[in-house]
Amino acid sequence: MKLPALLSKARGQSCVMCHADDGTIVSAHSNLYEHGRGMGLKSHDGMTAWLCQRCHYELDHGNKMTKEEKKLFTLQAICKTYMELWKQELITTKGKK
């Protein structure tokens, strides 16, 4: 599912994992199949994390983490991203009035 408005919220943010504020922060898609990733497919846009270039590269191509560590890193990063989205009131819920 494409959610460009959600992906664009990464602009101007800090990396949720290392706290870098270096202008390289993007909404990095999860590499987990349970998040919708497949052959030639990115995961659902809701399964992204605000990562700097260094953390994003290490997650996608690095060899410092095991497969299980990468999974945990991904899940933590997505949770931290959603906590920031809520904290900054960049996402809300529709409630009864």
Side-chain angles (χ1 to χ4, degrees):
M1 175 182 247
K2 301 293 181 193
L3 301 170
L6 181 62
L7 297 179
S8 70
K9 307 252 187 247
R11 276 190 223 111
Q13 300 294 334
S14 297
C15 179
V16 295
M17 297 307 279
C18 75
H19 309 290
D21 187 9
D22 59 5
T24 68
I25 313 311
V26 295
S27 289
H29 286 82
S30 167
N31 292 325
L32 303 176
Y33 291 106
E34 56 261 46
H35 292 161
R37 182 177 179 261
M39 282 298 245
L41 297 174
K42 287 192 175 218
S43 62
H44 185 288
D45 283 353
M47 294 292 106
T48 59
W50 295 343
L51 298 179
C52 66
Q53 181 181 7
R54 189 177 57 100
C55 288
H56 192 186
Y57 180 86
E58 187 58 40
L59 184 61
D60 284 356
H61 307 288
N63 58 9
K64 294 178 184 173
M65 292 186 275
T66 66
K67 185 176 179 179
E68 282 303 311
E69 288 170 331
K70 286 184 177 190
K71 182 175 184 173
L72 181 59
F73 183 96
T74 297
L75 296 173
Q76 289 175 331
I78 291 170
C79 287
K80 288 180 177 190
T81 297
Y82 272 92
M83 290 302 294
E84 281 299 314
L85 284 161
W86 284 105
K87 187 170 99 177
Q88 296 178 36
E89 297 182 355
L90 297 173
I91 57 173
T92 59
T93 59
K94 292 181 180 180
K96 294 181 181 179
K97 293 184 179 186

